[in-house]
Amino acid sequence: MNVMNASPRRKELTRLAAQLFVQEGFDRTTVRMLAQEMGIKSGSLFHHFRDKQEILAAVIEEGTQNALVIAREALARCDSSPLARLHAMARAHLETLLTDRNAHVVALYEWRRLDPEARAHLSHLRDAYEALWEEVIDAALAEGVIHGDRFLVSRFVMGALNWTVRWYDPDGPRSPDELADELVAMITRTAPAA
Amino acid sequence: MNVMNASPRRKELTRLAAQLFVQEGFDRTTVRMLAQEMGIKSGSLFHHFRDKQEILAAVIEEGTQNALVIAREALARCDSSPLARLHAMARAHLETLLTDRNAHVVALYEWRRLDPEARAHLSHLRDAYEALWEEVIDAALAEGVIHGDRFLVSRFVMGALNWTVRWYDPDGPRSPDELADELVAMITRTAPAA
DNA sequence: GGGTCAACCAAGCAAGCGCTAGTGTGACTG
DNA sequence: CAGTCACACTAGCGCTTGCTTGGTTGACCC
């Protein structure tokens, strides 16, 4: 058994688990597959994690934590113009989503598999992240950079961005930043890119 | 055993399966759960479907087929103005997504669980549907109703729309049509709604 | 140099899984 | 009224699942 510590070993295992969860999905990933990927036997897994659920929670927590940090840094780094902040936020979102991809795909698509306690705990993290978005969107609305219903706009934008993990090809011609800029251009009525 | 017919019994079973797949996810839905929901024993299930995979394929085929029909009707019903067609398509998409919700959530989130043959077969259906979208978006781009990269715009729009299944509350204040109109307004640079 | 501790292993249990085999119906059909 | 058919049942096989148990190893510590 083990406390909920963040030993380096555990961090590494979490990273590997994220990869497998993305490849196979949480339910199809067996503890034996996880163990093999980690170079240990299945029983040893339960020294690091109480049960399979806890591995999932660790993956999602890690990913969301990172997203928060990156978004906050990006916001801190840019001036207070609503348009600039919108750009920064979109870029940060895609950067996280497409570089630290695994953890985020898991967070987006395996959320339902969390047990109620883990979900409650992680909800707070997610809410904190979404609060950043709403703040930026509120400012953009207030200044007339974008228009529409506050709630709907943020949902639509999040949808468009999160959906990228389903089709984006990192080896393709477009960088995450280009994607972000194109999306912002699409909704801000400024002159089109290109 | 059974051929790939579309007996009414099978259709009803497919509908029930869709509901369970949404509630529990494909992997967590056991054949015994399916059978119980259908009021039969688990063995009897395999009279209607060759295996569990085939149930999934049936659910997705049904849903995509419906989406195609609804979208085509909606397009046929409206004039040839690109903006009108954009509205019609968005409305149709959300109507399908939010009324025939179960089948579509399965199609969106359990696609990976299909075996290669089923996936190949259903890809054609999906491509046909997406072709409708690209056609409408091309026309809107050509007429300057929207701006940006053809590929990116359609992906972003699909993302925003498909994401609705994760937050939309049918008992809430907004109708699917309002959602569709708000999204179109957001990307078309016309005067904002409300 | 005995004690501690994280990390790992071998072995396996109980439960649940998808699916099969063989059989029994009652409703149509020639 | 024999034959066929869709539909359902009982019973269970063979396998995989998450997880447990009891024990071993090697690095560090006073």
Side-chain angles (χ1 to χ4, degrees):
Chain A
M1 309 297 164
N2 204 354
V3 278
M4 285 213 253
N5 67 354
S7 72
R9 184 75 177 126
R10 185 174 150 130
K11 264 211 165 177
E12 170 65 6
L13 298 183
T14 303
R15 209 185 49 81
L16 288 168
Q19 191 187 335
L20 261 180
F21 287 163
V22 169
Q23 263 174 49
E24 306 289 329
F26 177 70
D27 289 325
R28 295 234 167 148
T29 306
T30 69
V31 292
R32 291 178 232 282
M33 292 165 67
L34 286 165
Q36 188 173 28
E37 195 74 11
M38 297 165 178
I40 58 178
K41 300 293 171 167
S42 71
S44 312
L45 240 175
F46 296 91
H47 171 71
H48 301 279
F49 302 94
R50 192 165 5 98
D51 52 23
K52 200 187 163 192
Q53 279 278 337
E54 196 182 277
I55 308 180
L56 177 61
V59 168
I60 295 183
E61 172 154 18
E62 173 74 6
T64 316
Q65 212 71 268
N66 277 352
L68 250 178
V69 169
I70 291 182
R72 279 181 180 145
E73 282 177 0
L75 286 179
R77 227 184 296 112
C78 75
D79 61 46
S80 62
S81 133
L83 183 59
R85 295 173 75 76
L86 199 58
H87 265 105
M89 200 62 193
R91 285 178 173 227
H93 192 96
L94 281 181
E95 184 197 322
T96 331
L97 214 55
L98 301 174
T99 60
D100 193 14
R101 187 170 185 145
N102 289 337
H104 285 282
V105 173
V106 173
L108 290 175
Y109 294 100
E110 308 288 356
W111 184 266
R112 302 153 29 100
R113 304 286 160 244
L114 289 169
D115 54 33
E117 307 107 72
R119 201 177 313 189
H121 167 232
L122 293 171
S123 286
H124 290 117
L125 268 181
R126 197 171 68 164
D127 289 349
Y129 183 76
E130 295 195 351
L132 286 183
W133 262 108
E134 305 231 331
E135 190 187 307
V136 168
I137 283 179
D138 275 351
L141 282 169
E143 192 134 316
V145 176
I146 53 177
H147 301 87
D149 179 90
R150 174 177 176 276
F151 177 83
L152 287 183
V153 169
S154 63
R155 286 296 188 287
F156 284 148
V157 171
M158 293 288 279
L161 287 175
N162 286 335
W163 200 252
T164 52
V165 295
R166 299 182 70 118
W167 56 264
Y168 182 70
D169 171 17
D171 302 324
R174 299 176 183 83
S175 74
D177 280 359
E178 283 178 78
L179 257 60
D181 293 346
E182 180 85 23
L183 178 70
V184 172
M186 194 172 99
I187 63 171
T188 50
R189 301 156 197 259
T190 62
Chain B
M1 312 293 163
N2 204 356
V3 279
M4 286 212 253
N5 67 355
S7 72
R9 183 76 177 125
R10 186 175 148 126
K11 265 212 166 177
E12 170 66 5
L13 297 184
T14 303
R15 209 184 49 80
L16 288 169
Q19 191 187 334
L20 262 181
F21 287 163
V22 170
Q23 263 174 47
E24 307 288 329
F26 177 70
D27 289 325
R28 296 233 167 148
T29 306
T30 69
V31 293
R32 294 182 228 291
M33 291 165 68
L34 286 165
Q36 188 174 25
E37 195 74 13
M38 297 164 177
I40 57 181
K41 300 293 169 159
S42 72
S44 312
L45 239 176
F46 296 91
H47 171 72
H48 300 278
F49 302 94
R50 190 164 8 95
D51 52 23
K52 198 187 162 191
Q53 278 279 336
E54 197 181 276
I55 308 181
L56 177 62
V59 168
I60 295 183
E61 173 153 18
E62 174 74 7
T64 315
Q65 212 74 267
N66 276 352
L68 249 179
V69 169
I70 290 182
R72 280 183 178 141
E73 282 177 1
L75 285 180
R77 227 183 296 111
C78 75
D79 61 47
S80 62
S81 131
L83 183 60
R85 295 173 74 77
L86 199 59
H87 265 106
M89 201 62 193
R91 284 179 174 227
H93 192 96
L94 281 181
E95 183 195 323
T96 331
L97 214 55
L98 301 175
T99 59
D100 193 15
R101 188 170 184 145
N102 289 337
H104 286 281
V105 173
V106 173
L108 290 176
Y109 293 99
E110 308 287 355
W111 184 266
R112 304 153 28 101
R113 304 287 159 243
L114 289 169
D115 55 32
E117 307 108 72
R119 200 179 312 190
H121 167 230
L122 292 171
S123 286
H124 290 118
L125 268 180
R126 199 172 67 164
D127 289 350
Y129 182 76
E130 295 197 350
L132 287 182
W133 263 108
E134 305 232 331
E135 192 186 305
V136 168
I137 283 179
D138 276 349
L141 282 169
E143 192 135 315
V145 176
I146 54 177
H147 301 87
D149 179 270
R150 174 177 177 276
F151 177 84
L152 288 183
V153 169
S154 63
R155 286 297 188 289
F156 284 148
V157 171
M158 293 288 278
L161 289 175
N162 286 334
W163 201 252
T164 53
V165 296
R166 297 182 72 119
W167 56 264
Y168 181 71
D169 171 18
D171 303 324
R174 299 174 182 86
S175 74
D177 280 359
E178 285 178 77
L179 256 60
D181 293 346
E182 181 85 23
L183 177 69
V184 173
M186 193 172 98
I187 63 171
T188 51
R189 301 157 196 263
T190 63

